Amino acid sequence: SAFEGYATPSDESYKTRGEHAEVALRSDPVVWCSAQVKPLSQAELCAYEETGFCIVRGLVPLQQIEACKNHLQTFTNEDQLKVTDNCRFVTEANSTVLRSIFAIHEDKSPLGELARAKFLTEYVQQILDDDIYVHQSRVNLQAPFKGTGFSWHSDFETWHAEDGMPRPRSLSAVVFLDQNAEYNGALMVIPGSHKSFLRCPGRQKGANWEKSLQSQVYGTPAEEHLRQLAESNGIKYCTGAPGDVLFFDSNLLHASSGNRSPFPRRNLFVAFNAWSNRLQAPFFSEEQRPEHVAHRQRVERFPRSA
Ligand code: 6CS
Ligand code: FE
């Protein structure tokens, strides 16, 4: 078969990176807990289950947001110029403009503290109904005039293929540090798309992540499948104010246009995985991505009832 030579999970529900693009159904739950009333209400959980995301307005105090932005100013040009292989700083393609800073939750800084804050993790624990840990964290900067955005993708597709995440029992918390508007690269989502699994065409050779973090090619679905889903479900902009937090399922299709505005769009992304769903060998890739992109060793467990 097209998938020979790869480690495979016990079933092949989420096979991808084969010869052909294909639409499959997600075979796992979205909300893993049953009746629970905190912090999300039953109605909010239902909406999350249906759409694949929810936005909690004003969750992070503005003082804390300001401290994070002040700290971001300390990442200077010097850091940008130190960009080398296996480095946690990623620039825009052919540029020294900073695009992403990975493993941000490991810093002893306001950003590191925010990424591990209980008022975030309790939402994630409720939805995933398990102990959790940080699979990946980053700040995406979408610099004024220069941010180039992200192609349509499902995070889980990449995490399964390239990082060996068995199932989509994971989600991202996105803290808006700046106003997120249509004109500065606010995230776009296809509501409900998390219930399909879009098998992506083509198989990368070698270290795909070096390119994909700047501009993704492998791990992007067929345009025809994106069109079908967007036609039936629509596209929604996740706009909001500093301190708002977007929680979205790891299999929700999302993208962002570049930022041609004079305003930055800095967001903190923290991807949480269920403790029971920790990484195995990559399912559809020869190479394992580095620790700062997909944590295997440096994992701190956040217990549910703590
Ligand atoms: O490759 C990854 O794991 C990352 N790439 C994107 C564009 N989103 C999810 C994740 O942060
Ligand atoms: Fe993503």
Side-chain angles (χ1 to χ4, degrees):
S1 91
F3 299 96
E4 251 159 32
Y6 292 104
T8 42
S10 49
D11 64 81
E12 295 203 329
S13 315
Y14 303 117
K15 69 182 181 191
T16 183
R17 313 276 172 118
E19 259 170 77
H20 304 289
E22 209 179 324
V23 182
L25 275 183
R26 177 203 187 101
S27 56
D28 282 281
V30 177
V31 172
W32 295 71
C33 66
S34 44
Q36 283 250 224
V37 287
K38 269 176 74 171
L40 291 168
S41 69
Q42 207 56 48
E44 288 168 322
L45 282 175
C46 283
Y48 181 92
E49 209 277 329
E50 264 319 292
T51 62
F53 69 100
C54 69
I55 302 176
V56 182
R57 305 289 172 190
L59 184 61
V60 184
L62 287 182
Q63 253 194 327
Q64 209 171 341
I65 296 292
E66 281 312 309
C68 288
K69 287 196 276 199
N70 289 337
H71 180 72
L72 271 181
Q73 310 291 351
T74 67
F75 294 101
T76 61
N77 243 327
E78 223 174 290
D79 294 307
Q80 297 169 33
L81 296 174
K82 271 188 243 147
V83 171
T84 57
D85 289 350
N86 264 13
C87 165
R88 72 167 176 148
F89 299 106
V90 176
T91 61
E92 297 291 352
N94 310 312
S95 160
T96 56
V97 172
L98 205 49
R99 173 175 172 85
S100 302
I101 307 169
F102 279 83
I104 203 83
H105 71 291
E106 295 183 324
D107 291 358
K108 287 202 170 46
S109 75
L111 279 161
E113 260 156 54
L114 177 54
R116 286 180 277 102
K118 187 161 183 251
F119 62 75
L120 289 182
T121 57
E122 64 187 5
Y123 283 88
V124 185
Q125 288 158 335
Q126 184 189 18
I127 294 167
L128 300 182
D129 197 25
D130 197 352
D131 296 353
I132 57 170
Y133 72 98
V134 175
H135 165 62
Q136 182 190 82
S137 76
R138 69 200 312 194
V139 171
N140 281 341
L141 291 107
Q142 287 269 29
F145 304 112
K146 302 274 164 48
T148 59
F150 293 83
S151 315
W152 285 104
H153 65 282
S154 142
D155 291 342
F156 172 69
E157 193 278 341
T158 294
W159 298 341
H160 183 67
E162 300 189 24
D163 299 337
M165 183 181 288
R167 318 208 72 91
R169 193 169 181 170
S170 49
L171 62 86
S172 288
V174 183
V175 180
F176 298 175
L177 302 176
D178 295 304
Q179 183 82 37
N180 278 228
E182 292 85 345
Y183 50 74
N184 71 345
L187 216 69
M188 295 181 280
V189 301
I190 301 178
S193 59
H194 62 307
K195 294 189 174 180
S196 300
F197 182 74
L198 269 47
R199 308 192 199 288
C200 299
R203 218 183 272 175
Q204 68 286 350
K205 286 264 171 290
N208 179 48
W209 62 274
E210 287 171 3
K211 281 202 179 62
S212 74
L213 298 178
Q214 284 185 330
S215 170
Q216 196 172 5
V217 177
Y218 296 105
T220 57
E223 288 178 359
E224 174 61 12
H225 295 157
L226 290 165
R227 191 179 61 77
Q228 284 167 7
L229 270 172
E231 266 177 6
S232 57
N233 300 11
I235 292 175
K236 194 182 172 299
Y237 270 114
C238 296
T239 55
D244 291 355
V245 180
L246 161 71
F247 295 93
F248 74 98
D249 181 86
S250 60
N251 190 44
L252 185 71
L253 290 166
H254 60 289
S256 66
S257 307
N259 183 6
R260 301 297 291 267
S261 87
F263 312 114
R265 191 232 62 180
R266 292 163 295 186
N267 286 345
L268 168 67
F269 284 76
V270 193
F272 294 95
N273 190 19
W275 187 255
S276 62
N277 194 39
R278 285 193 316 288
L279 304 188
Q280 304 178 8
F283 290 110
F284 301 104
S285 165
E286 292 91 354
E287 289 204 31
Q288 198 167 287
R289 300 200 297 178
E291 182 73 22
H292 69 274
V293 178
H295 291 281
R296 294 167 183 277
Q297 263 99 54
R298 305 195 311 253
V299 289
E300 179 190 352
R301 184 173 183 164
F302 300 100
R304 269 223 63 172
S305 55

